[in-house]
Amino acid sequence: MMVRALALAALAFTVSTAARAADPRYPNWPCAQAKVPEISLAAVWAGPELGDAESKWKDDSKISALVARLAARKTPLDEAEKSVKEFLAGSADKTANAKLLFAGLFDTLNAQRSQVMSGLERVSRKQREAADKIRAETIQLQALQDATPRDDAKVDAMSNQLIWETRIFEDRRKVVRFVCEVPTAIDQRLFALGRVIQQEME
């Protein structure tokens, strides 16, 4: 029966989310991947100390514009790597510009990750609320179906409402599963670009 399927879908979401949220610090984290709030600099950069490049990269308009282009997910990674090589090849002070460029990428991509993860947790909270609502309305619908006399108009209205709410719930679930891959993709992008920058400095 459709009603039982709706209730099971909502219950399955709640159980799977609870199972994933093994880390009590992040109860709303909906992804199978462990939540790592920030990328560690040491994990992606083995080059020289960044020093004041961490704050000064924003002062260089050319660096800032390049960082924005390289950090954009719509820019293919191979194209981004090529841009890094071309920029550093034409730099008078390759080491200084390399540090500025990486500092900008590190800041920008970490900020992107934080934004994506906050969005995921926000949607996860909405999904929990939606799952609770679907379960409660399923119980109401079952009561309406069992009532004597039965009000078919109310049963139909509640059934249609549940079907609609469950479609929204399922659509969000699919989006969450897709977006859960984004923080890892950002990590990989930063690591790849950091490696290219370091290679060009040698």
Side-chain angles (χ1 to χ4, degrees):
M1 185 187 286
M2 175 66 75
V3 174
R4 286 199 183 91
L6 299 179
L8 286 171
L11 180 61
F13 169 80
T14 305
V15 170
S16 65
T17 303
R20 284 175 186 161
D23 190 331
R25 293 174 299 171
Y26 313 119
N28 292 308
W29 182 243
C31 306
Q33 302 92 326
K35 181 181 178 183
V36 180
E38 289 190 342
I39 307 169
S40 160
L41 180 62
V44 290
W45 181 251
E49 290 286 329
L50 295 179
D52 60 3
E54 292 186 54
S55 57
K56 288 192 171 178
W57 70 269
K58 292 178 184 175
D59 299 334
D60 188 315
S61 58
K62 194 172 180 181
I63 294 277
S64 296
L66 182 57
V67 163
R69 192 166 80 248
L70 298 177
R73 291 194 295 278
K74 65 182 180 181
T75 304
L77 185 56
D78 57 348
E79 184 182 311
E81 290 175 342
K82 185 181 175 187
S83 295
V84 167
K85 291 174 183 177
E86 289 173 352
F87 171 71
L88 292 178
S91 294
D93 190 340
K94 191 180 282 190
T95 298
N97 280 321
K99 291 198 293 185
L100 288 168
L101 183 58
F102 184 78
L105 283 169
F106 185 75
D107 271 4
T108 304
L109 289 173
N110 246 329
Q112 278 186 19
R113 283 177 91 258
S114 295
Q115 189 175 29
V116 169
M117 290 191 292
S118 293
L120 279 165
E121 290 184 317
R122 191 164 54 249
V123 172
S124 178
R125 286 192 292 271
K126 285 183 180 177
Q127 286 290 79
R128 281 179 187 272
E129 291 166 6
D132 290 342
K133 189 168 186 279
I134 288 169
R135 280 199 305 278
E137 288 177 355
T138 299
I139 292 167
Q140 290 174 31
L141 178 56
Q142 287 172 332
L144 285 173
Q145 288 172 327
D146 295 339
T148 306
R150 173 169 155 151
D151 188 331
D152 286 333
K154 277 188 178 179
V155 168
D156 288 346
M158 179 69 80
S159 295
N160 290 334
Q161 181 178 330
L162 269 168
I163 290 167
W164 176 249
E165 288 174 356
T166 306
R167 278 182 187 156
I168 293 171
F169 181 90
E170 283 298 308
D171 286 346
R172 276 192 192 142
R173 189 174 64 82
K174 289 171 186 171
V175 168
V176 165
R177 196 165 56 213
F178 172 76
V179 177
C180 277
E181 302 296 330
V182 174
T184 301
I186 292 173
D187 292 352
Q188 291 168 346
R189 188 178 195 86
L190 181 57
F191 180 79
L193 293 175
R195 184 177 55 197
V196 172
I197 291 169
Q198 288 169 82
Q199 286 170 350
E200 292 303 302
M201 289 172 65
E202 294 170 0

